C-alpha cells in the first residue's frame, strides 16, 4: 500500500514495544516530513548505540568503554553495591542523589516459569566480584514484583551463606507494589533507599 521503503519503516517501527500499527504509521510519516538532519540523526543514533555501547565488564551497566562511568569514578564508594535488574534501573537510583556506591546489574529477575534461572543472571559474577573485595553492604534494589522479591531473597540467601559480615539490605516499602523501579519518582525512591532495612 505504501512504497516499499515506507512500508519497511512502518514495519520496523511497529516492532518497538508499545507501538501499534497506527502509531508506527504516524511515526513513519513524521520521519518522512522531518528535516534530513533530524531523520539522519535518529538513524545515526540507533547505529551508534549498537556499535559503541556494550556492558561494563564489572557491573554490567551500559558502557562505552570496558568499564562504565560509575565503575571508573574513583569517588564512588566501593564498599557498597546496589543490585538492580536492568541498566534502566540505574538512572532512577542516580536521580535520587542518595546513593554514592557502585552497582551490579543482573540482566533480569528470576522467573522459573519463563525459564529464567540463577545462571541466566549475573549472580555468580556478583559473588566473584565481592570475593576478596572491601564490600561491606549489598543493597538489593530489584523491583517490588513477585520475580524481583524472589530474586532478592535468592541473592540474600547466597550472600549469607558465603559472607556473614556483609550487611544485606532491601529498599524500604513505600515503592508501589508490582511497579518497576524505572517508573518510581526520585522522592519515593530516595526515601526507600534511605530507609532500607536489613534482610
Ligand atoms: Zn560498571
Amino acid at each position: 500500500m505504501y512504497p516499499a521503503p515506507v512500508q519497511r519503516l512502518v514495519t520496523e517501527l511497529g516492532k518497538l514495544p508499545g507501538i501499534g500499527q497506527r502509531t508506527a504509521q504516524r511515526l513513519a510519516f513524521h520521519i518522512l516530513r522531518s528535516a534530513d538532519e533530524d531523520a539522519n540523526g535518529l538513524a545515526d543514533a540507533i547505529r551508534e548505540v549498537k556499535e559503541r555501547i556494550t556492558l561494563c565488564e564489572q557491573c554490567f551497566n551500559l558502557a562505552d568503554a570496558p568499564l562504565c562511568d560509575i565503575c571508573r569514578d574513583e569517588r564512588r564508594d566501593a564498599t557498597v553495591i546496589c543490585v538492580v535488574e536492568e541498566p534502566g534501573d540505574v538512572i532512577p537510583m542516580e536521580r535520587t542523589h542518595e546513593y554514592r556506591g557502585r552497582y551490579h546489574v543482573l540482566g533480569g529477575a528470576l522467573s522459573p516459569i519463563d525459564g529464567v534461572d540463577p545462571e541466566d543472571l549475573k549472580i555468580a559474577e556478583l559473588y566473584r566480584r565481592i570475593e576478596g573485595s572491601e564490600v561491606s553492604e549489598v543493597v538489593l534494589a530489584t523491583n517490588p514484583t513477585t520475580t524481583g522479591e524472589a530474586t532478592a531473597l535468592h541473592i540474600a540467601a547466597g550472600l549469607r551463606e558465603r559472607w556473614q559480615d556483609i550487611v544485606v539490605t532491601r529498599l524500604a516499602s513505600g515503592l508501589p507494589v508490582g511497579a518497576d523501579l524505572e517508573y518510581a519518582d526520585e522522592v519515593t525512591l530516595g526515601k526507600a533507599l534511605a530507609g532500607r532495612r536489613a534482610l
Side-chain angles (χ1 to χ4, degrees), residues 11-199:
T11 304
E12 292 302 324
L13 290 168
K15 291 178 186 170
L16 297 171
I19 305 289
Q21 183 67 15
R22 282 176 69 97
T23 308
Q25 284 176 19
R26 206 155 46 80
L27 290 172
F29 280 102
H30 173 83
I31 291 167
L32 270 173
R33 275 195 310 270
S34 56
D36 282 2
E37 63 190 83
D38 290 338
N40 290 331
L42 175 63
D44 289 346
I46 293 171
R47 207 170 290 119
E48 193 184 10
V49 292
K50 294 309 290 178
E51 278 168 12
R52 295 197 36 207
I53 300 299
T54 54
L55 296 182
C56 171
E57 321 186 311
Q58 179 164 262
C59 75
F60 306 96
N61 187 15
L62 300 180
D64 59 2
L67 291 179
C68 72
D69 290 348
I70 294 170
C71 286
R72 277 201 305 262
D73 187 346
E74 292 290 326
R75 291 165 304 178
R76 303 289 301 221
D77 184 355
T79 67
V80 189
I81 293 182
C82 176
V83 176
V84 295
E85 293 182 22
E86 302 289 349
D89 298 331
V90 171
I91 313 294
M93 291 296 289
E94 287 294 286
R95 272 204 306 259
T96 66
H97 300 293
E98 295 266 350
Y99 184 68
R100 298 298 304 155
R102 307 277 171 105
Y103 291 92
H104 191 85
V105 182
L106 295 171
L110 290 178
S111 180
I113 292 173
D114 303 311
V116 183
D117 298 312
E119 54 275 19
D120 298 313
L121 304 176
K122 305 291 185 195
I123 296 176
E125 287 82 351
L126 173 68
Y127 298 153
R128 264 204 296 279
R129 191 178 159 189
I130 294 172
E131 188 75 64
S133 76
E134 48 178 340
V135 171
S136 59
E137 180 182 356
V138 176
V139 185
L140 297 170
T142 49
N143 291 327
T145 54
T146 317
T147 56
E149 293 293 347
T151 308
L153 291 176
H154 177 88
I155 296 175
L159 289 168
R160 260 196 300 268
E161 201 180 289
R162 290 167 175 82
W163 300 280
Q164 281 70 46
D165 52 340
I166 291 180
V167 180
V168 182
T169 54
R170 179 91 175 108
L171 294 184
S173 51
L175 289 173
V177 172
D180 274 14
L181 222 61
E182 212 179 329
Y183 304 116
D185 69 277
E186 55 254 46
V187 176
T188 309
L189 191 53
K191 278 186 189 154
L193 185 63
R196 64 189 185 268
R197 58 191 158 75
L199 259 186

